Amino acid sequence: MDVLEKIVANKRREVAAQRAAVAPEMLLAMGAARMSRPVNSMRRALAQSPSGIIAEFKRRSPSKGLLHADARVEEIVPAYERNGASACSILTDGDFFGGSLGDLQRARAQVCLPLLRKDFIIDEYQLFQARVMGADAVLLIAATLTRNECLQLARTAHALALEVLLEIHHERELTCLHPEIDMLGVNNRNLGTFHTEVENSFRLMERIRTEVGAGASSPLLVSESGLLEAATVVRLRAAGFRGFLIGETFMKTGRPGEALAAFISQMNHQPEDLHEATDN
């Protein structure tokens, strides 16, 4: 059993326990007032942003271990907003990443930015949780879902006014793509081995263009994981990506918000030829 399989098996047990403790109907009833909150479009925010950075809040990861043990949402997420993030990703998995739904709820109380619930979503119950706790968008990971499961979860997300970011790592996972998907993310990290290779985004771009084209109705493209240098993000923007999910690069520092500001400044000062479209 690889790392992803372990995480998903644990997630199934976790969601079953949560359902048993609080029935879906009760969860929605308890969160009725919160669900009346208008959502913020993450897709629109990324499309309109000059940087497109989705700054992530997470305390640890299975591949890198502890990143920021005493990280507090109340300090870091507002700092991300002040320093130019287009959106924030809140990792809510507890056992493997040190997050919680409480982190998402606290982040919503602190900022106006679009918030992505990043977790291993396998059940519509998690979508109800996301909406009640303040998310504007949710992550669906193609490697953990069948095409039909992905479609049904995306439809439920839209019924709850949540946008959907579909994450793929391999070309074959494009079979999960359908019109209900708002954003398509290419994860440069293999979730089974946790090996990271940024060139994965460039490799998949040509196939993505063939599959989805570049029209207004096409999903907005996001590159995820392993984005350590501003020059890499500038190259990815030139290739057609408009969102860039970055967590460890910021969270491993003592001041993630300031690290974000420095990263955006570096992006703005890259050579002009990097900003031009490439054939990669």
Side-chain angles (χ1 to χ4, degrees):
M1 183 180 290
D2 65 23
V3 178
L4 180 59
E5 291 170 333
K6 290 178 182 177
I7 293 173
V8 172
N10 184 72
K11 190 61 60 177
R12 294 191 189 284
R13 292 189 293 269
E14 177 185 299
V15 174
Q18 291 170 342
R19 270 184 172 271
V22 181
E25 298 79 8
M26 183 178 296
L27 173 66
L28 292 175
M30 291 167 56
R34 295 180 189 173
M35 290 182 65
S36 65
R37 176 191 66 86
V39 298
N40 302 321
S41 172
M42 182 168 145
R43 176 188 169 113
R44 183 169 60 247
L46 296 177
Q48 295 175 349
S49 169
S51 71
I53 292 180
I54 309 163
E56 185 161 88
F57 179 90
K58 68 176 177 181
R59 296 180 179 87
R60 67 173 185 265
S61 78
S63 60
K64 299 296 178 63
L66 199 60
L67 299 171
H68 198 136
D70 58 350
R72 297 180 69 246
V73 167
E74 295 86 349
E75 296 174 356
I76 293 173
V77 175
Y80 278 156
E81 184 173 48
R82 289 194 304 271
N83 286 289
S86 305
C88 282
S89 168
I90 309 297
L91 237 156
T92 58
D93 176 82
D95 291 342
F96 293 88
F97 292 88
S100 71
L101 281 166
D103 288 336
L104 177 60
Q105 183 179 10
R106 286 187 290 275
R108 179 75 287 151
Q110 296 291 322
V111 299
C112 295
L113 286 175
L115 297 181
L116 171 73
R117 180 189 182 182
K118 188 176 179 185
D119 209 316
F120 298 82
I121 291 179
I122 53 169
D123 190 292
E124 67 176 11
Y125 187 80
Q126 295 164 282
L127 302 178
F128 301 153
Q129 291 173 324
R131 185 68 171 94
V132 168
M133 292 299 182
D136 301 290
V138 291
L139 179 74
L140 299 182
I141 302 174
T144 68
L145 302 166
T146 66
R147 187 180 192 280
N148 188 59
E149 288 170 339
C150 181
L151 176 59
Q152 293 305 316
L153 287 170
R155 285 176 173 169
T156 300
H158 281 174
L160 293 168
L162 295 166
E163 290 184 331
V164 176
L165 169 60
L166 173 67
E167 174 182 296
I168 65 169
H169 177 77
H170 296 286
E171 179 180 305
R172 62 179 177 269
E173 292 166 352
L174 280 167
T175 57
C176 285
L177 188 61
H178 50 75
E180 299 286 336
I181 300 302
D182 303 290
M183 296 161 283
L184 178 62
V186 176
N187 196 340
N188 302 310
R189 178 173 293 126
N190 183 309
L191 292 177
T193 65
F194 277 78
H195 172 71
T196 303
E197 187 181 7
V198 175
E199 290 302 313
N200 194 47
S201 285
F202 293 108
R203 277 198 302 267
L204 285 179
M205 174 55 83
E206 184 175 348
R207 180 59 190 274
I208 291 170
R209 284 173 172 159
T210 300
E211 290 286 328
V212 306
S217 61
S218 301
L220 182 139
L221 301 183
V222 177
S223 182
E224 308 169 17
S225 302
L227 305 179
L228 307 178
E229 299 179 357
T232 302
V233 172
V234 171
R235 287 178 59 220
L236 286 163
R237 280 192 70 87
F241 288 90
R242 288 296 174 265
F244 310 94
L245 199 154
I246 305 176
E248 292 174 9
T249 300
F250 305 144
M251 290 299 298
K252 68 184 180 183
T253 70
R255 297 180 180 275
E258 293 180 13
L260 166 63
F263 195 93
I264 292 176
S265 177
Q266 291 165 17
M267 286 179 62
N268 294 335
H269 291 88
Q270 292 300 307
E272 286 299 320
D273 57 344
L274 281 184
H275 291 265
E276 298 172 358
T278 68
D279 295 326
N280 292 70

